[in-house]
Amino acid sequence: MSTASATDGADGVPGDAPGSLPDALPGRRFEPDLRSMTRINLRPIASPMPLGFFTVAIASVMTGCLQLGLLEAGARTAVALCVLPAFALQFLVSVLAFGARDVIAATLMGVFAGSWLAYALVMFSGAADGLQVLGVFNLVFLCFGALMAAVTRPKRALWLVLVVSLPRWAATGLSGLTGAEWLTRTSGALGLLVALVAMYAAFALMLEDMRSEEVLPIGRSGPAHAAVEGDLTVQLRNLERQAGVRRTL
């Protein structure tokens, strides 16, 4: 069994004999410890969440008015076109939230974006059995929302919007499958309630970001509260293990 020399070579690499080629070394090469010279740069951004919540509120009002009968059935195409921009806006919010290292907000806003796109395309195209398909879609979305609500409780603004949205997704899904008019009306009323909660959350978060302090109660707790009220040490805790810094996701 051959052994590598412990003598430093001409190029300063341990184990290299003078004049030897690096690729001729037996065994495995190890890089020096780079932790002392590693720097991680963070880029502060404005919170995208007010934009996300305002988008939820506006789109919910449009779809809720259609379900309540305040808009005629022939307005479906126009409503779909009004809701379509919600996809782009919430997709943007999701991308920014990923950059801000908030996987919960990014995931929620990304899935919201996809749901608005699906709704707009189905309603605009007038696809056959579109309401039934959207009914199944909303019931699946209900399962997703329940799972998200289980992990977002410390982020009370997100959690409250989700909790109010759950019965709306249930009513929308069942009304699409059964065609029951009272379920459609119930879903529309719940849509307006979702809009009110989302509007409050957006306004409260925007005021907080502008004044660098909580103005309207949001109810953060646990890690979410520590992230806002804690010092820089709290923000950088376990940074080396976060996505984008560690080697794998």
Side-chain angles (χ1 to χ4, degrees), residues 54-77:
F54 275 129
T55 303
V56 170
I58 295 170
S60 295
V61 168
M62 297 304 300
T63 56
C65 288
L66 182 62
Q67 291 174 315
L68 285 171
L70 300 179
L71 300 173
E72 298 295 333
R76 287 182 178 179
T77 301

Side-chain angles (χ1 to χ4, degrees), residues 42 101 226-237 239 242:
L42 303 178
R101 301 181 294 147
V228 174
E229 299 296 334
D231 56 18
L232 187 60
T233 303
V234 176
Q235 311 303 313
L236 302 180
R237 187 176 299 162
L239 183 63
Q242 295 186 9

Side-chain angles (χ1 to χ4, degrees), residues 68-192:
L68 285 171
L70 300 179
L71 300 173
E72 298 295 333
R76 287 182 178 179
T77 301
V79 171
L81 290 174
C82 288
V83 168
L84 186 58
F87 157 71
L89 292 175
Q90 293 208 275
F91 181 75
L92 173 63
V93 172
S94 176
V95 172
L96 293 175
F98 276 119
R101 301 181 294 147
D102 193 333
V103 65
I104 293 178
T107 301
L108 183 64
M109 289 297 160
V111 176
F112 268 145
S115 71
W116 293 126
L117 178 61
Y119 175 88
L121 292 177
V122 171
M123 298 299 285
F124 179 78
S125 64
D129 298 325
L131 292 179
Q132 288 83 354
V133 172
L134 287 177
V136 175
F137 180 83
N138 276 277
L139 292 179
V140 176
F141 212 76
L142 173 65
C143 298
F144 161 78
L147 293 175
M148 289 295 293
V151 297
T152 58
R153 191 178 183 90
K155 302 171 71 68
R156 200 57 59 88
L158 278 173
W159 179 81
L160 189 57
V161 172
L162 273 172
V163 167
V164 177
S165 298
L166 291 177
R168 195 208 179 182
W169 293 328
T172 303
L174 293 175
S175 67
L177 292 177
T178 64
E181 188 68 20
W182 70 272
L183 283 172
T184 302
R185 296 287 188 262
T186 301
S187 177
L190 290 171
L192 297 184

Side-chain angles (χ1 to χ4, degrees), residues 5 7-11 13-26 29:
S5 171
T7 305
D8 288 354
D11 57 357
V13 179
D16 282 358
S20 64
L21 296 175
D23 58 356
L25 286 174
R29 294 287 299 276

Side-chain angles (χ1 to χ4, degrees), residues 26-46:
R28 183 177 177 183
R29 294 287 299 276
F30 291 93
E31 297 292 339
D33 189 350
L34 301 178
R35 286 177 293 181
S36 61
M37 63 184 74
T38 300
R39 297 292 182 268
I40 299 173
N41 296 319
L42 303 178
R43 180 181 297 173
I45 63 172

